[in-house]
Amino acid sequence: MQQTPASPKNASNAGSYSIYRTCIEQVMQGSERLPSLPAITLEIRNAIADNNVTHKQLAELIANDPSLCILIMRYVSSPIYLTQEQPRTIEEAIRLLGIAGLDRVVMLHSLKSLFIFRNRSLKQLFDLTWKRLTLKACIAEHLAKKLNYKPADEVLISSLLSEAGTLAILSALTNIKDIPDEVTYLKLCRQYSKSLGLIILKKWNLGGQYSEVIEKSGVWTSGTSNSYTPLELTDIVNLALYHGVALFRPNNTLPDLDSLDMYKKLPAALKHCNEKGLLRLVTDHTTDIAKASKVLH
């Protein structure tokens, strides 16, 4: 059967996609073009690793990054931390966060600040992506709290880092003249996000559970779980991913939630779903989740 020649528009789209793929694959072969963690982030993380560091010393170091100071104060004053008395200084905020919590907020700040784009189209794609990722991360943290998984903010940063490759794809396309539209970008994400995410975590000297979360992201079922299998970090992140996709894209092709491993592991009291098959544990709290997400914008 004779094939119909591609229309000029389709041929152009195919050519553009090939250019995007080439650009991303070149970055994967040599990660020099991927952003490195800021020097201030490395300083803070090195200080955090010192068992003798004081809250005062950390506060003095963090004061060198005003935008990080603002994020920390917004973070500890948000619905994420329900405290009777709001912290007034960075030192008080660090005391509330704890050292491990501070480390995660620093990584959150770094993740966003690494990807700043001058190109308007890239910035629009980033803003849309960041909004989706922060919503997903706050769903994950909300679930962690309801499931009594500790520390809950570890789930938040794990959720964000699980899509480091999604953001890195935009960075790889910085020098491309014709920026992909959203549909093409999502197609590139499906093809390259995981591989690129693992590369960038290695560059940042992060791995372990974060790499495992990337590898298992979107893997809905293994066929070996039941109600007696404990929920893991990856399950909570995937539950958040599932609901994030469902809320952002109503016309999705997600499998039924009650058929998935992560749902089967939930306590019976928390398995109640709404008419759309989503956990009421999430849908009944979307206002609070959205407020928490806005803090991270």
Side-chain angles (χ1 to χ4, degrees):
M1 181 176 179
Q2 187 176 6
Q3 293 184 340
T4 302
S7 68
K9 182 177 180 181
N10 289 338
S12 175
N13 289 342
S16 295
Y17 192 78
S18 176
I19 292 172
Y20 302 145
R21 290 183 54 189
T22 300
C23 221
I24 294 169
E25 289 170 5
Q26 285 175 346
V27 169
M28 292 173 65
Q29 292 169 8
S31 62
E32 296 81 7
R33 283 175 53 193
L34 289 173
S36 300
L37 288 175
I40 184 66
T41 301
L42 297 176
E43 285 184 61
I44 294 171
R45 299 198 82 223
N46 287 336
I48 287 172
D50 182 354
N51 293 329
N52 297 317
V53 72
T54 66
H55 290 159
K56 182 179 180 180
Q57 289 171 327
L58 285 170
E60 290 172 349
L61 182 56
I62 290 169
N64 294 317
D65 189 337
S67 60
L68 176 56
C69 292
I70 292 171
L71 175 61
I72 289 173
M73 297 306 293
R74 287 176 61 193
Y75 190 76
V76 297
S77 301
S78 73
I80 296 171
Y81 283 87
L82 299 176
T83 58
Q84 292 182 344
E85 186 175 348
Q86 300 295 336
R88 294 167 295 178
T89 66
I90 289 296
E91 190 172 344
E92 289 178 2
I94 293 171
R95 191 171 290 109
L96 176 62
L97 281 169
I99 298 299
L102 174 64
D103 189 24
R104 285 185 281 274
V105 176
V106 169
M107 282 304 305
L108 187 158
H109 171 70
S110 299
L111 187 61
K112 183 179 182 182
S113 62
L114 285 177
F115 300 98
I116 298 176
F117 302 101
R118 295 179 181 177
N119 181 287
R120 183 178 178 182
S121 297
L122 276 178
K123 186 179 186 307
Q124 287 176 337
L125 281 176
F126 172 83
D127 290 343
L128 183 65
T129 302
W130 187 252
K131 183 178 180 181
R132 178 180 67 81
L133 298 193
T134 53
L135 176 65
K136 185 187 81 168
C138 287
I139 293 173
E141 184 172 50
H142 170 79
L143 287 169
K145 288 180 177 179
K146 295 297 183 181
L147 293 165
N148 202 30
Y149 183 97
K150 298 180 179 178
D153 56 355
E154 178 183 81
V155 180
L156 182 144
I157 195 61
S158 296
S159 178
L160 284 174
L161 285 173
S162 72
E163 296 205 53
T166 301
L167 300 176
I169 285 172
L170 294 176
S171 182
L173 299 177
T174 301
N175 296 321
I176 294 291
K177 181 180 179 181
D178 296 319
I179 302 303
D181 58 23
E182 185 183 353
V183 172
T184 303
Y185 169 56
L186 292 175
K187 184 178 178 182
L188 290 166
C189 289
R190 285 191 290 271
Q191 185 170 0
Y192 293 108
S193 180
K194 285 191 177 186
S195 299
L196 201 50
L198 292 171
I199 290 171
I200 201 166
L201 286 191
K202 183 177 180 181
K203 181 172 183 175
W204 294 348
N205 291 320
L206 298 171
Q209 67 180 17
Y210 298 134
S211 295
E212 183 182 7
V213 169
I214 286 180
E215 290 168 346
K216 293 185 178 180
S217 178
V219 178
W220 302 126
T221 183
S222 64
T224 59
S225 297
N226 54 49
S227 58
Y228 301 103
T229 309
L231 273 167
E232 300 174 351
L233 172 63
T234 53
D235 295 313
I236 299 175
V237 173
N238 268 338
L239 276 169
L241 172 61
Y242 184 99
H243 285 79
V245 172
L247 293 171
F248 252 82
R249 300 188 178 283
N251 298 324
N252 57 72
T253 57
L254 290 168
D256 292 338
L257 179 61
D258 59 8
S259 70
L260 305 183
D261 289 355
M262 55 193 183
Y263 175 84
K264 295 174 184 177
K265 294 181 183 180
L266 288 169
L270 299 179
K271 286 184 174 180
H272 302 295
C273 294
N274 67 7
E275 66 281 0
K276 295 183 179 180
L278 301 178
L279 289 175
R280 300 195 70 91
L281 183 59
V282 174
T283 59
D284 289 352
H285 299 274
T286 52
T287 299
D288 289 337
I289 291 170
K291 288 180 180 177
S293 175
K294 191 173 181 181
V295 172
L296 307 182
H297 291 174

